[in-house]
Amino acid sequence: MSSRPLLKPSSGMAVSPAATVPSLMAPRQEKPRVLTPLALTGMAYITVCAGPFGLEPAVGAAGPLPVLLGILLLPFLWGLPQSFITAELSTMMPDNGGYVLWVRRGLGNFAGWMSSYNSVASNSCDLPLYPVLLSQYTAAFATHVLGVNLGVAGEWAVKFGVLGVVTLVNVRGSSSVAALSLLVTLVIMGPILAEPFFPTVSLHTGDWFATSGSVDWSVFLSVLLWNYQGWDGLGCVAGEVSNAKRTYPLAVSAAMVLATISYALPIMVGVSMFPDDAAWEAGLFEAIAADINPVLGALVVVGAATANLGEACCMLCNSARAVVAMADRKMVFPWIGVESKVRGSDQPVRAILLQVAVSALLMGFPFDVLVVVDTFFKNVALGLESMAFLALRHNEPGAERPFQVPGGLAGAWAITIPKFAILLFTMATAGTTAWVLCGGANVAFVVAYLVRQRVVGPDATDGMDKAVQAGERHTNNDLRAGSSSFSSQELLGRHAATTGSRSAGGATNAVEDASAASSATCSSPSVLTLSLSPLQVVVQCDGEAEDGDR
């Protein structure tokens, strides 16, 4: 890693050649904050919901009543807590990286490693689902409406075509992803809102209360929770959100309402026409719409196609920024985080291409297996994110939180306890396949962490998130607006206590060198100032300061 002098030499000041601070990460261009409330609402809706497509297996596994109850309850027990936690942590740490930053800061490097790798594993299983779903809907439409059999080659052509479009949109940046999300939202919602008003639709409310004789809890819960996950991914673009304090609460609330409507209406209409649970499998919503009206069927197919396209775009956008944050912290190879100039701003092209390559390899796996494994990985990550949220509330009560979950500590616990209960129940019913695959993967993550610590060793990146935490705890106010001063020994003690002797070495040595340099020339006791925006160590002698940016 490169380093720069800590102190700007002034007349009479001898600066030790060792007075340098290792750069915590390569300098990055400030991202344009292009995501407005409307743009983030589109991304939130598409990331989390993108229509009811893919929800059909849940009805087949449990019947309409459990699914409808889940749609009504999960926004409050699952979606709202996760969206509020995302809003609070994203405004508290308004930088790209999301959960990578949150868990490292709240629970430490090892928990941050496990959370990040489980999230990336979940994303890697999630992204292939959308090309697979789109190919299934396209094949169903071709068979039922056009009388054409696409065949295996045709379906794979659709899958790779989706990946190609998703890659091109993401390379253009988050503004292009947001614009596509808003367009897709309109395409999806139009047919859903119109469906109940067609004269051929007759709602039979009695069918809504049916339950399958034997509930497949693994498929039912995995599919249902899969259709409500993704909120935390919105934190990965926090560095590109305009006025985060206002934008995040508005966007997640609007997206939650749209998601509930998108799930409930098609199932209410669908079970009135297809009450047999056995008929409910991926692609049925297209057939239902085609039975109501051929034009409506065509619009739903278009909606399903664009929904999967939009959701894949948003997933890749969020995940690529998380991978870049991991690269900055040497959690993956740093070269993966190198960005390329596209349309005047830096874009994570390498991280995007890596995720697309992994997705291409996983597209051949069965849909149900990918959903269950995806949800299991995500539940591990969400559990760690929730624990980090609570830890930050306890350990950093005075940190700046432009948006805060109401109710203080009691409110924070109240929204996380039901979430923990759902997580535990879902993981307990996940089935042997998920436990073997995900359990084995997590053992590999632990081994990889130990190898990383041995090969790379403790360096400045180990303490970069905790160094911020040390400053937040000390100042107990808006650190982004200014700086706070304290003695060099107090700074050393606080930094070492927070980061630990192993990870604090680089920064601690730098402050020691700065302190020694100032003591050699200052007649009065030196003062070191820690500023977090940008991160600086300032040496002040008799009221005159010399500083150096890190």
Side-chain angles (χ1 to χ4, degrees):
M1 287 232 170
S2 61
S3 59
R4 291 185 288 175
L6 174 68
L7 303 176
K8 297 176 184 176
S10 62
S11 58
M13 176 176 283
V15 180
S16 166
T20 60
V21 174
S23 174
L24 294 179
M25 66 176 77
R28 295 198 180 277
Q29 179 188 41
E30 179 72 16
K31 302 290 186 184
R33 294 190 174 269
V34 295
L35 299 179
T36 62
L38 184 60
L40 193 63
T41 296
M43 286 190 68
Y45 172 74
I46 296 300
T47 298
V48 175
C49 173
F53 315 109
L55 190 60
E56 299 100 326
V59 179
L65 179 60
V67 175
L68 289 172
L69 286 176
I71 290 170
L72 294 176
L73 293 176
L74 280 180
F76 301 99
L77 299 177
W78 180 263
L80 200 63
Q82 187 58 39
S83 62
F84 273 18
I85 290 172
T86 297
E88 176 171 320
L89 295 179
S90 297
T91 56
M92 182 182 178
M93 291 168 260
D95 299 304
N96 282 358
Y99 41 77
V100 178
L101 284 62
W102 305 342
V103 182
R104 276 172 59 97
R105 178 165 164 179
L107 300 178
N109 292 339
F110 176 68
W113 176 281
M114 297 302 292
S115 172
S116 299
Y117 268 89
N118 273 278
S119 291
V120 169
S122 171
N123 296 340
S124 298
C125 293
D126 196 58
L127 187 56
L129 294 174
Y130 308 113
V132 170
L133 275 174
L134 193 148
S135 68
Q136 289 178 348
Y137 272 89
T138 305
F141 179 76
T143 301
H144 294 134
V145 179
L146 303 179
V148 176
N149 182 12
L150 285 183
V152 175
E155 290 192 30
W156 275 98
V158 173
K159 293 174 186 178
F160 280 110
V162 172
L163 283 183
V165 173
V166 166
T167 303
L168 291 175
V169 172
N170 268 273
V171 167
R172 290 176 58 84
S174 61
S175 59
S176 296
V177 175
L180 178 65
S181 299
L182 287 172
L183 176 62
V184 171
T185 300
L186 294 176
V187 173
I188 293 170
M189 291 301 298
I192 288 174
L193 294 175
E195 204 170 57
F197 298 100
F198 276 82
T200 52
V201 173
S202 178
L203 297 179
H204 303 293
T205 56
D207 293 328
W208 301 350
F209 298 95
T211 304
S212 293
S214 177
V215 176
D216 186 337
W217 288 102
S218 178
V219 173
F220 166 60
L221 288 174
S222 295
V223 171
L224 206 58
L225 293 183
W226 173 64
N227 278 277
Y228 273 103
Q229 72 183 27
W231 297 107
D232 58 330
L234 299 174
C236 295
V237 294
E240 299 168 59
V241 174
S242 173
N243 191 5
K245 177 181 179 179
R246 175 173 176 267
T247 299
Y248 269 102
L250 285 175
V252 299
S253 299
M256 184 71 70
V257 173
L258 291 175
T260 303
I261 295 172
S262 296
Y263 293 148
L265 272 182
I267 290 178
M268 290 176 178
V269 172
V271 296
S272 297
M273 303 182 66
F274 287 82
D276 183 8
D277 297 341
W280 282 80
E281 55 185 24
L284 183 63
F285 283 128
E286 177 274 334
I288 293 171
D291 282 355
I292 294 173
N293 183 280
V295 175
L296 183 66
L299 291 176
V300 168
V301 169
V302 172
T306 56
N308 286 285
L309 187 66
E311 199 157 4
C313 279
C314 289
M315 172 59 66
L316 183 57
C317 178
N318 298 334
S319 187
R321 282 151 179 79
V323 171
V324 169
M326 293 172 68
D328 286 340
R329 290 151 178 81
K330 294 185 179 178
M331 300 167 73
V332 296
F333 295 113
W335 62 265
I336 296 174
V338 175
E339 297 184 316
S340 304
K341 190 76 71 176
V342 179
R343 300 173 66 203
S345 63
D346 292 336
Q347 302 299 336
V349 176
R350 294 186 182 185
I352 289 170
L353 294 177
L354 175 64
Q355 292 270 276
V356 170
V358 173
S359 297
L361 294 174
L362 295 177
M363 283 193 304
F365 282 80
F367 178 86
D368 290 350
V369 173
L370 285 175
V371 168
V372 172
V373 173
D374 170 15
T375 305
F376 193 101
F377 278 129
K378 196 62 180 179
N379 287 346
V380 174
L382 289 175
L384 290 169
E385 290 170 25
S386 298
M387 286 188 278
F389 165 70
L390 292 173
L392 289 167
R393 276 296 192 93
H394 280 273
N395 297 333
E396 301 184 42
E400 179 193 7
R401 291 173 171 85
F403 173 82
Q404 186 166 331
V405 174
L409 276 177
W413 277 99
I415 68 167
T416 51
I417 289 175
K419 185 176 171 184
F420 282 131
I422 294 172
L423 285 173
L424 291 173
F425 185 76
T426 305
M427 294 175 71
T429 58
T432 304
T433 301
W435 274 99
V436 170
L437 292 176
C438 299
N442 273 275
V443 171
F445 298 157
V446 173
V447 172
Y449 177 80
L450 296 175
V451 171
R452 186 268 185 199
Q453 293 300 94
R454 185 166 185 84
V455 174
V456 177
D459 68 355
T461 63
D462 285 344
M464 60 189 296
D465 297 307
K466 287 188 174 182
V468 174
Q469 180 180 347
E472 295 267 10
R473 285 179 177 175
H474 179 77
T475 58
N476 200 28
N477 61 19
D478 184 359
L479 291 176
R480 292 185 178 274
S483 61
S484 65
S485 300
F486 33 90
S487 71
S488 59
Q489 293 304 313
E490 183 179 356
L491 174 61
L492 291 172
R494 288 182 179 275
H495 188 280
T498 306
T499 60
S501 58
R502 287 168 55 91
S503 62
T508 301
N509 291 338
V511 178
E512 286 174 340
D513 290 333
S515 179
S518 63
S519 297
T521 57
C522 295
S523 57
S524 62
S526 62
V527 174
L528 296 184
T529 300
L530 176 67
S531 173
L532 296 182
S533 181
L535 191 57
Q536 298 175 312
V537 178
V538 180
V539 179
Q540 186 169 342
C541 304
D542 294 325
E544 297 183 357
E546 296 291 339
D547 68 274
D549 295 350
R550 274 174 58 188

